[in-house]
Amino acid sequence: MEPVTVYSQYAWLIPVFPLVSFIVLTAFGRGMRSAGMLIGMLGSLAALVLSVLVLLERMTNGDSPEYNYSFDWITIGDFQLNAGYDVTNLSALMLFVVSVVAFLVNLYSAGYLKEDERITVFFGYVALFTFSMLGLVLSDNLLTLYMFWELVGVCSFLLVGFWYTKPEARAAAKKAFIVTRVGDVGLLIAVLLLFWYMPEHDLSFAAIENVFGQTGTIAQGITTLIAILIFVGAAGKSGQFPLHVWLPDAMEGPTPISALIHAATMVAAGVFLVARTYSIFEASQAAMDTVAYVGAFTALFAATIGLVQNDIKRILAYSTVSQLGYMMLALGVGSLSGGIFHLFTHAFFKALLFLGAGSVIHAVHTQNIHEMGGLGRQMKITAWTFGIGALALTGIPPFSGFWSKDAILAVALDKNPFLFAVGILTAFFTALYMARLYFLVFAGKSGAAGKAHESPAVMTIPLVVLAAFAALSGFVELPWAGMGRLGAWLTGEEAAHSGSGLVLVVSTAIGLLGIYLGWLIYVKGAIPRDFISSRAPWLVRLLERKYYIDELYHAVFTVGLRASGRALDAFDTYIVGGAVRLISGAAVWAGRAGTRMQNGQVQTYGLWTVIGLLALILAIAGRRFW
Amino acid sequence: MLPSYLTMAAILFCIGLYGALTKRNAVIVLISVELMLNAVNLNLVAFSKYGVVPSLTGQIFSLFTISVAAAEVAVGIAILIALFRARGTINVDEYDEMRR
C-alpha cells in the first residue's frame, strides 16, 4: 500500500511559520503592540494546524514507513553531509505538544504581558523559540539537531533574561546558558565521536538506528561512551542532577516562558534526544543504568527540595526537575513509551500549573506562597484548573499524570524494585508538596497579599484548554492489554503489563496519603507546621539551601575559574597590554621629540640641517671601513 | 699648495657657519652667510689654479658669485630694514612666525 504522506511532505513548513513571524516581528515590530501579538499568534496557530494534520495522518497510518526528506547540504570531496527532516510517530507527537503549548502560551502572554513595553520583542523571541524547538523535533540527523539544540538554548537565555533590568534575571540567564553549555559540550563530543565511528560518517537517526541496532559494528566501550556523553547533553537541557541548578533560577523569566520553555518543551528536549537516539542506549546496559539511576536520584532529590521552597514558581521548577527525572528513569529501565507518555502528559499539566501560577502572581503580585491564601474563592477558574493540574501531577486517577506515572512505575517494578521504591517515595513527596502549595495558596484565610481578582479571559482560556488536556490526555494509553495504544503506536509493540494492578493501587494510595498529610498540616492544623523544623532544623536548613549544591559549585568551580580568570586578565593587562602601550608610548615620545625640533627658529633648523648633513657624510664615508 | 687653500676655506666656512647658527643679531648672521659664500669662492679659485684640470672657468664663476652675492646682500639688508620697521627688533630668535 502506498503510504499516505500528504501533510508529512509539508511538515517542513511547520517551523517556517513561527520563523516568518519572528522575522516580521524583528524587522517591523518596533512600535507595534496588538499587531505584533497577532503576528506571533498567527505564526504559532498555523504551525499548530499543520501539526495536528500531520499527527492525524500519522495516527491513521501509524505503521506506515516514516516520511523522510533530505538533501545534500555540504559536499567536501567524496564526503557528503545531508540535512533534512523526518516525520516519525515520535516527532509528530512532539510537534503536536510543542505547537499546542506554544500557541496557548502566545495567547496567555497577550494578557500576562499586556502592560510590558517590549511585548513585541517578547513575541519575537517566543516565535524564534517555537521555530527552533519544532526544527529540533523535525531534524533527521544529529548535526542539525545540535544546531537547533543550541538555538533553543539561546532563546532560553534571551527569555530568562527578558527583564534584564533585574540583576537576578541577568544572573539567572547567564547561569542557564553556562550550565546547559556544560552539558552541550558532552553532546558535541558525542556527535564528533559518532561522526568518527559511524560508517560513511552518516549522522542521520535512521543510520544510527541501523548501526546500533545490530551488535558488534561498534565496540562496546565506545557505544557506552557515546551514550553517556549524549546523556550528559540531555542532562544539561533537562535539568538532571548534577546539572539541574539552572532550572529553578530560570524562573526569573516571565511566567509564560517558564511554562513554555522550562516546563513543557525545551527541558523535555533532553528526554526527546535520549528517545531519538535510543538504539545507542539500548546497545549499552551501563548507559541505561546510568540514565535510570541519575533519573531516579534526580526525581527524589528535587522532590525533597520542593517540599520546603516558598516561591510558587520555584516549587513548580523543582517539581519539573523531579518529573524529568521520572522520564529519564523510564527511559533508563527500557520503557521508551513510558518516558514519552509522561513527557506528553507532563507538558500539559505542568504548563497548566505554571500558567495557573502566573495567573495567581498576576493577581496578587507576589510569588511567596505564605503571603497568599484564600484565593480559591476569588479566582475560581484558576483554582479549579490549577487543582486539576495538581491532581494530574500528584497522580490521582483518572487524571493524565496517574496513567503515565503508573506506566513508568510498572516497568520499574518489573526491572528494578529499588528504582520502583524510589519512584514511589518521590510520588509521596510530590503529593505532599503539591498539597502544601495548593492549600496554602487557594485554601484558608486571605493572606497578606489581600484582595485578588480573576484574570482576563485571554489568560483563563488557555488554562481551561490545558486543564482539559491534563485531565484527559492520559487515556491515550491505559495499563490493560489492548489499551496501550500510545506505546504500540510509538514503538510498534505494546508495553508489558505485569503487576500493574498492584502499582495502580499503591501509587494511588501513596498520592492520597501525601495529600491527606498535607491537608492535616496546612488546613486542619492537626500536625503543627514546624513539626520537623523544630525537631531537626538542620534537615530543613539543608533542604532550604538545596543541599548546598550552589555553594559547592561556587567553591569548587566558580572560585577557581575566577582566580584563573583574574590571572589571565592580569597577563592581558600587564604583558600584552604593556607591550602595546610600550610601542604606542615610543611613537608618542618620538612625536614629542619631533615637535620640539619645530620651534620656528631658523637657526635651529639650520643646526639640524648641518647635523643631518654630517650624519650623511659619516654614513657615506663610513661605508669604506665596513 | 692646494691643501692650505682648502684648509683656509674650510676654517672660513666653519666660522661663517658658527656665526650664522649662533648670533642673534640678524646683520651679523647675514655677514656670516657672506663669509661662508666667500669660503666657497676661495675653493673655486684654488681649484681653478691648482686643480687636476686648471682652467679659468673657476675664476669666472667666482666673479659671478661675488656679483650675485652683492645683489643678495642688498636685498637681504632691505628685507632686514623692513622687518626692523615692522617688528622693532633685529634679533633672529624673535622672528619665529613659522611656528605659528
Side-chain angles (χ1 to χ4, degrees):
Chain A
M1 189 186 85
E2 184 71 17
V4 187
T5 55
V6 185
Y7 299 115
S8 299
Q9 284 177 42
Y10 297 103
W12 60 273
L13 274 170
I14 298 175
V16 170
F17 290 125
L19 179 65
V20 169
S21 345
F22 165 68
I23 293 171
V24 171
L25 280 170
T26 312
F28 310 109
R30 192 173 292 254
M32 284 186 197
R33 287 191 69 85
S34 42
M37 293 185 221
L38 201 63
I39 292 169
M41 271 186 241
L42 277 180
S44 58
L45 181 63
L48 172 61
V49 169
L50 197 49
S51 301
V52 169
L53 291 175
V54 169
L55 181 70
L56 288 176
E57 184 176 289
R58 292 302 309 179
M59 270 161 65
T60 47
N61 304 282
D63 41 0
S64 68
E66 42 206 48
Y67 182 79
N68 172 268
Y69 172 82
S70 73
F71 58 94
D72 296 348
W73 182 23
I74 300 172
T75 308
I76 309 164
D78 297 336
F79 171 65
Q80 234 178 31
L81 201 57
N82 293 323
Y85 63 96
D86 248 352
V87 183
T88 63
N89 291 350
L90 175 60
S91 55
L93 185 73
M94 287 293 291
L95 283 178
F96 173 70
V97 171
V98 172
S99 49
V100 165
V101 178
F103 174 68
L104 291 175
V105 162
N106 264 304
L107 194 64
Y108 181 91
S109 307
Y112 191 80
L113 287 163
K114 205 170 68 190
E115 310 294 328
D116 202 287
E117 277 176 25
R118 294 165 65 236
I119 187 162
T120 43
V121 178
F122 178 84
F123 274 84
Y125 287 165
V126 171
L128 179 63
F129 171 78
T130 314
F131 155 71
S132 332
M133 191 65 209
L134 292 168
L136 190 155
V137 170
L138 275 175
S139 293
D140 79 333
N141 68 73
L142 256 179
L143 204 62
T144 45
L145 182 138
Y146 184 74
M147 282 161 51
F148 285 116
W149 181 269
E150 293 295 342
L151 257 179
V152 291
V154 170
C155 295
S156 163
F157 169 79
L158 289 173
L159 285 164
V160 170
F162 182 70
W163 287 323
Y164 57 79
T165 47
K166 278 201 304 183
E168 300 90 30
R170 284 203 299 272
K174 270 189 280 185
K175 188 172 178 181
F177 197 65
I178 293 169
V179 175
T180 45
R181 287 278 342 152
V182 174
D184 294 350
V185 170
L187 178 58
L188 180 63
I189 298 173
V191 172
L192 294 176
L193 278 177
L194 269 176
F195 179 79
W196 191 256
Y197 284 101
M198 283 293 284
E200 300 186 1
H201 305 302
D202 194 348
L203 284 175
S204 70
F205 291 117
I208 289 174
E209 206 172 318
N210 274 337
V211 169
F212 286 93
Q214 63 213 29
T215 48
T217 321
I218 287 172
Q220 186 65 40
I222 294 297
T223 307
T224 306
L225 183 64
I226 291 173
I228 299 267
L229 284 169
I230 289 179
F231 180 63
V232 168
K237 270 278 186 288
S238 289
Q240 296 300 291
F241 181 85
L243 296 176
H244 65 282
V245 288
W246 66 273
L247 189 53
D249 283 20
M251 296 300 128
E252 292 295 338
T255 308
I257 287 316
S258 309
L260 174 63
I261 299 185
H262 305 116
T265 53
M266 187 189 85
V267 291
V271 178
F272 173 76
L273 175 68
V274 175
R276 202 79 169 84
T277 55
Y278 205 52
S279 46
I280 306 180
F281 287 87
E282 281 178 322
S284 162
Q285 190 55 44
M288 288 291 260
D289 288 343
T290 312
V291 175
Y293 281 98
V294 169
F297 177 74
T298 308
L300 184 61
F301 169 83
T304 55
I305 299 177
L307 283 174
V308 297
Q309 297 297 310
N310 295 322
D311 183 320
I312 183 168
K313 285 179 71 182
R314 273 180 190 265
I315 299 175
L316 292 177
Y318 278 108
S319 162
T320 306
V321 173
S322 170
Q323 298 301 309
L324 289 164
Y326 258 117
M327 296 173 208
M328 289 296 184
L329 166 63
L331 294 174
V333 293
S335 173
L336 179 68
S337 62
I340 297 300
F341 184 30
H342 199 53
L343 190 165
F344 176 67
T345 59
H346 174 260
F348 296 124
F349 65 70
K350 191 49 72 63
L352 166 64
L353 287 172
F354 267 111
L355 293 185
S359 175
V360 168
I361 295 166
H362 193 66
V364 298
H365 300 291
T366 176
Q367 301 196 4
N368 189 332
I369 53 172
H370 293 295
E371 293 174 11
M372 302 172 189
L375 295 177
R377 285 184 300 280
Q378 289 151 344
M379 309 177 70
K380 286 220 163 51
I381 303 176
T382 307
W384 273 103
T385 50
F386 198 93
I388 292 172
L391 288 176
L393 171 60
T394 311
I396 301 298
F399 298 105
S400 59
F402 169 71
W403 305 109
S404 55
K405 200 176 280 188
D406 171 71
I408 295 173
L409 290 174
V411 181
L413 178 63
D414 192 33
K415 293 277 168 64
N416 189 334
F418 170 69
L419 292 178
F420 170 75
V422 172
I424 283 291
L425 195 57
T426 307
F428 172 70
F429 285 136
T430 308
L432 190 56
Y433 68 66
M434 279 320 288
R436 171 176 180 260
L437 175 61
Y438 192 81
F439 292 140
L440 279 179
V441 172
F442 292 105
K445 296 189 293 291
S446 284
K451 292 290 288 176
H453 55 88
E454 184 57 274
S455 300
V458 71
M459 287 167 70
T460 49
I461 289 170
L463 290 180
V464 173
V465 175
L466 282 172
F469 275 116
L472 303 175
S473 62
F475 291 110
V476 297
E477 163 123 355
L478 298 178
W480 291 288
M483 303 287 273
R485 287 170 297 224
L486 181 79
W489 181 67
L490 274 178
T491 57
E493 60 197 56
E494 204 174 330
H497 298 293
S498 54
S500 62
L502 173 70
V503 176
L504 289 178
V505 174
V506 170
S507 74
T508 311
I510 284 287
L512 288 174
L513 181 66
I515 293 175
Y516 179 63
L517 193 61
W519 184 76
L520 280 183
I521 298 174
Y522 295 103
V523 178
K524 196 142 182 290
I527 303 171
R529 288 186 193 184
D530 58 354
F531 183 75
I532 294 178
S533 57
S534 60
R535 281 166 181 73
W538 60 270
L539 184 65
V540 177
R541 187 105 198 101
L542 181 70
L543 292 180
E544 270 176 355
R545 303 301 302 160
K546 307 147 206 161
Y547 294 97
Y548 294 96
I549 298 280
D550 276 332
E551 283 79 357
L552 181 73
Y553 285 175
H554 183 78
V556 175
F557 299 113
T558 318
V559 171
L561 285 174
R562 205 166 269 170
S564 68
R566 288 238 174 80
L568 289 174
D569 182 48
F571 178 79
D572 187 48
T573 315
Y574 296 109
I575 312 279
V576 179
V580 172
R581 270 197 300 278
L582 196 69
I583 291 169
S584 70
V588 167
W589 177 85
R592 288 244 169 80
T595 55
R596 191 157 300 160
M597 282 158 47
Q598 310 279 332
N599 63 354
Q601 300 286 329
V602 186
Q603 291 176 315
T604 320
Y605 296 161
L607 182 63
W608 282 114
T609 314
V610 171
I611 292 172
L613 182 69
L614 284 178
L616 201 64
I617 289 170
L618 276 178
I620 290 171
R623 275 175 53 184
R624 288 211 195 139
F625 304 105
W626 277 318
Chain B
M1 283 304 274
L2 185 62
S4 36
Y5 282 103
L6 292 187
T7 314
M8 175 68 185
I11 292 169
L12 216 53
F13 186 86
C14 286
I15 293 171
L17 184 63
Y18 174 77
L21 291 185
T22 55
K23 292 298 163 192
R24 296 176 69 204
N25 192 319
V27 179
I28 298 184
V29 170
L30 214 55
I31 289 172
S32 304
V33 172
E34 285 307 305
L35 219 54
M36 288 156 74
L37 211 61
N38 282 320
V40 175
N41 281 344
L42 200 55
N43 267 14
L44 286 175
V45 175
F47 276 114
S48 80
K49 179 80 173 161
Y50 300 109
V52 186
V53 194
S55 77
L56 275 179
T57 321
Q59 300 186 19
I60 294 167
F61 227 95
S62 65
L63 280 177
F64 272 111
T65 317
I66 290 167
S67 48
V68 169
E72 179 233 301
V73 167
V75 173
I77 295 285
I79 290 174
L80 261 185
I81 291 169
L83 258 178
F84 178 69
R85 284 196 180 140
R87 308 283 306 272
T89 178
I90 50 165
N91 279 355
V92 273
D93 50 1
E94 287 175 39
Y95 299 155
D96 54 357
E97 274 82 5
M98 287 220 281
R99 202 164 72 169
R100 287 176 209 148

